[in-house]
């Protein structure tokens, strides 16, 4: 993982603190703006989750490479792609570099996970603040109560909705 790769994840996905003016504007949102803000927050959260998955996959691939290099002789030749160019190195040269990249990816993952928690909190705060009900979410309080038989043993039937 190079510095440009890490910088991309870090610069794009850090959660910025809202200024007082933005907070005041959020207080005076109409229904469409509230829904739009919810979708924005949800999209940002989803994007961070996708990036976490991507970095985890990259980290796992680097770990596989490191595991494959460990039993080899340190003087053995190996090839590494650097900036789109395949270069010849020795196992002794490549192993520490790959281990360092894995460590950097773990740092990026930690920062992305912190960012995901912040975005999740912002999303849940927005939902609670505006008392949003999300389609498809199961809320026990919103579930209809099961029909109960009447005292005399007969059931009342309602109309059929077709």
């Amino acid at each position: 993982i190079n510095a440009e790769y890490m910088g991309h994840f870090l610069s794009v996905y850090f959660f910025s603190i809202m200024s007082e003016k933005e907070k005041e504007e959020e207080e005076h949102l109409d229904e469409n703006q509230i829904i739009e803000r919810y979708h924005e927050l949800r999209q940002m959260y989803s994007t961070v989750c996708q990036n976490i998955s991507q970095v985890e996959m990259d980290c796992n691939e680097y770990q596989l490479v490191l595991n494959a290099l460990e039993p080899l002789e340190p003087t053995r030749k190996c090839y590494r792609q650097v900036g789109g160019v395949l270069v010849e190195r020795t196992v002794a040269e490549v192993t520490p570099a790959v281990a360092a990249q894995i460590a950097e990816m773990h740092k990026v993952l930690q920062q992305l996970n912190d960012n995901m928690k912040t975005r999740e909190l912002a999303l849940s705060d927005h939902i609670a603040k505006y008392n949003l009900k999300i389609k498809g979410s199961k809320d026990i309080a919103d579930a209809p109560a099961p029909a109960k038989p009447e005292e005399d043993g007969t059931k009342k039937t309602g109309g059929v909705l077709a």
Side-chain angles (χ1 to χ4, degrees):
I1 190 168
N2 58 32
E4 185 177 314
Y5 180 77
M6 282 187 3
H8 169 71
F9 283 108
L10 297 178
S11 65
V12 174
Y13 299 111
F14 272 108
F15 187 73
S16 62
I17 305 298
M18 289 176 29
S19 68
E20 291 300 319
K21 184 178 179 182
E22 289 174 321
K23 288 180 181 179
E24 286 177 15
E25 288 175 1
E26 189 172 278
E27 302 248 345
H28 305 293
L29 298 177
D30 68 3
E31 188 175 314
N32 290 333
Q33 290 171 324
I34 292 170
I35 293 169
E36 184 178 315
R37 178 70 179 147
Y38 166 76
H39 288 297
E40 288 172 5
L41 290 170
R42 183 145 180 176
Q43 179 62 37
M44 288 188 285
Y45 176 77
S46 177
T47 302
V48 171
C49 290
Q50 290 170 356
N51 287 322
I52 287 171
S53 294
Q54 181 62 44
V55 174
E56 284 176 343
M57 286 189 304
D58 291 348
C59 190
N60 289 337
E61 288 177 15
Y62 274 82
Q63 190 61 51
L64 287 173
V65 169
L66 189 62
N67 292 343
L69 290 175
E70 283 178 354
L72 301 177
E73 294 178 24
T75 57
R76 185 172 175 169
K77 291 181 184 178
C78 65
Y79 295 92
R80 181 171 184 218
Q81 187 171 0
V82 178
V85 177
L86 202 59
V87 293
E88 183 179 317
R89 300 278 187 237
T90 64
V91 171
E93 294 172 328
V94 172
T95 303
V98 172
Q101 288 179 331
I102 291 171
E104 289 298 316
M105 281 190 241
H106 284 293
K107 290 178 187 175
V108 170
L109 276 172
Q110 180 60 44
Q111 291 170 338
L112 285 171
N113 281 320
D114 293 344
N115 186 264
M116 179 188 69
K117 290 175 187 173
T118 303
R119 293 203 185 267
E120 185 176 24
L121 182 62
L123 185 60
S124 63
D125 286 348
H126 186 75
I127 290 170
K129 181 178 181 178
Y130 295 106
N131 197 25
L132 299 177
K133 303 292 183 206
I134 312 304
K135 279 186 184 178
S137 67
K138 296 195 179 210
D139 190 0
I140 295 173
D142 293 338
K148 295 182 181 179
E150 293 296 318
E151 294 292 324
D152 61 358
T154 62
K155 281 188 179 179
K156 282 193 173 183
T157 58
V160 176
L161 183 61

